Amino acid sequence: EDKVVQSPLSLVVHEGDTVTLNCSYEVTNFRSLLWYKQEKKAPTFLFMLTSSGIEKKSGRLSSILDKKELFSILNITATQTGDSAVYLCAVDMNTGNQFYFGTGTSLTVIP
Amino acid sequence: NAGVMQNPRHLVRRRGQEARLRCSPMKGHSHVYWYRQLPEEGLKFMVYLQKENIIDESGMPKERFSAEFPKEGPSILRIQQVVRGDSAAYFCASSRQAGGYTFGSGTRLTVV
């Protein structure tokens, strides 16, 4: 059965801390892995990863994919209260029809 | 270029009523996806539509739920005879081709 598992389920850190969010997957016909940030409304796109070992960066956020070990990590450095959100990982299974989402990691950044 | 527009933002229905959720995709996007987010759960795929066609409805409950994406107008997710368990946030996403989603802001359905 295809699955996407995120860990931890929730995380509370202080401003300035660095966090690492994990996403592991077991799917057939993997095409890409995507990270989204969800605050009170719609998920917003962060990264799409298709190749192993190539880090993608956007400001304080970065992500990398390991297709051999079937996981991805999302790093956030120097966290700010505005980073508080649920971070969703999704796998595109090359069916063209749907993404499989994990249940998300809820991050709370305390001032 | 407006993003994916969903309305209403909040919808309250009594048990047994019908709920209609609308989604207008981004301009130029012909693929629409509906997802449901239940409390404490991730986004669950429901249905994938292209204009006038349902491509994949493997995530749709067998009864009471239906979706359409007519040639003109928004995509509609319809829930008949709503029950409390239907209370959730329903998100629509659109894309120009398969993949590369843009999400709407969602409709929060509350069944009382």
Side-chain angles (χ1 to χ4, degrees):
Chain A
E1 184 184 338
D2 299 316
K3 59 182 178 182
V4 177
V5 179
Q6 290 187 246
S7 63
L9 287 180
S10 65
L11 194 54
V12 180
V13 300
H14 289 279
E15 267 191 321
D17 287 350
T18 293
V19 297
T20 298
L21 310 184
N22 302 289
C23 175
S24 63
Y25 59 92
E26 289 181 32
V27 300
T28 52
N29 300 318
F30 175 91
R31 177 158 68 179
S32 62
L33 185 145
L34 299 91
W35 284 96
Y36 289 86
K37 177 182 181 182
Q38 184 177 22
E39 296 169 272
K40 287 203 173 13
K41 43 186 183 178
T44 52
F45 173 80
L46 293 176
F47 298 110
M48 183 170 76
L49 304 156
T50 54
S51 301
S52 259
I54 299 174
E55 185 183 52
K56 295 224 171 168
K57 284 182 72 82
S58 177
R60 295 176 294 101
L61 277 66
S62 64
S63 185
I64 198 162
L65 174 68
D66 186 329
K67 290 167 77 173
K68 184 178 176 185
E69 299 298 329
L70 307 182
F71 76 92
S72 173
I73 59 172
L74 175 68
N75 277 320
I76 309 174
T77 58
T79 51
Q80 302 170 358
T81 54
D83 296 327
S84 296
V86 174
Y87 290 84
L88 293 165
C89 165
V91 173
D92 179 355
M93 290 173 52
N94 204 26
T95 62
N97 296 350
Q98 57 180 287
F99 288 8
Y100 277 74
F101 282 85
T103 53
T105 292
S106 175
L107 173 66
T108 303
V109 181
I110 300 171
Chain B
N1 185 12
V4 177
M5 305 299 293
Q6 288 189 248
N7 66 81
R9 295 290 299 273
H10 300 276
L11 182 61
V12 180
R13 284 286 177 267
R14 295 186 185 282
R15 279 180 293 171
Q17 290 185 318
E18 178 179 285
R20 280 182 181 245
L21 289 63
R22 295 176 191 76
C23 170
S24 297
M26 282 185 70
K27 189 176 180 181
H29 286 192
S30 59
H31 299 243
V32 166
Y33 311 78
W34 284 94
Y35 284 81
R36 176 166 61 174
Q37 185 171 40
L38 294 166
E40 309 301 324
E41 295 187 25
L43 286 169
K44 302 290 186 187
F45 169 78
M46 297 182 75
V47 62
Y48 162 44
L49 309 106
Q50 292 182 28
K51 282 287 186 183
E52 299 185 275
N53 288 306
I54 295 174
I55 307 302
D56 181 352
E57 56 181 350
S58 58
M60 288 278 271
K62 297 267 186 284
E63 297 175 348
R64 303 186 297 108
F65 285 71
S66 63
E68 62 177 11
F69 188 16
K71 189 176 180 181
E72 302 291 337
S75 176
I76 306 285
L77 178 68
R78 184 180 174 210
I79 312 172
Q80 295 178 289
Q81 299 175 325
V82 295
V83 300
R84 287 232 171 94
D86 297 332
S87 295
Y90 292 82
F91 287 98
C92 166
S94 74
S95 68
R96 194 179 300 277
Q97 54 192 359
Y101 288 177
T102 301
F103 279 91
S105 297
T107 293
R108 188 162 300 278
L109 172 66
T110 302
V111 180
V112 298

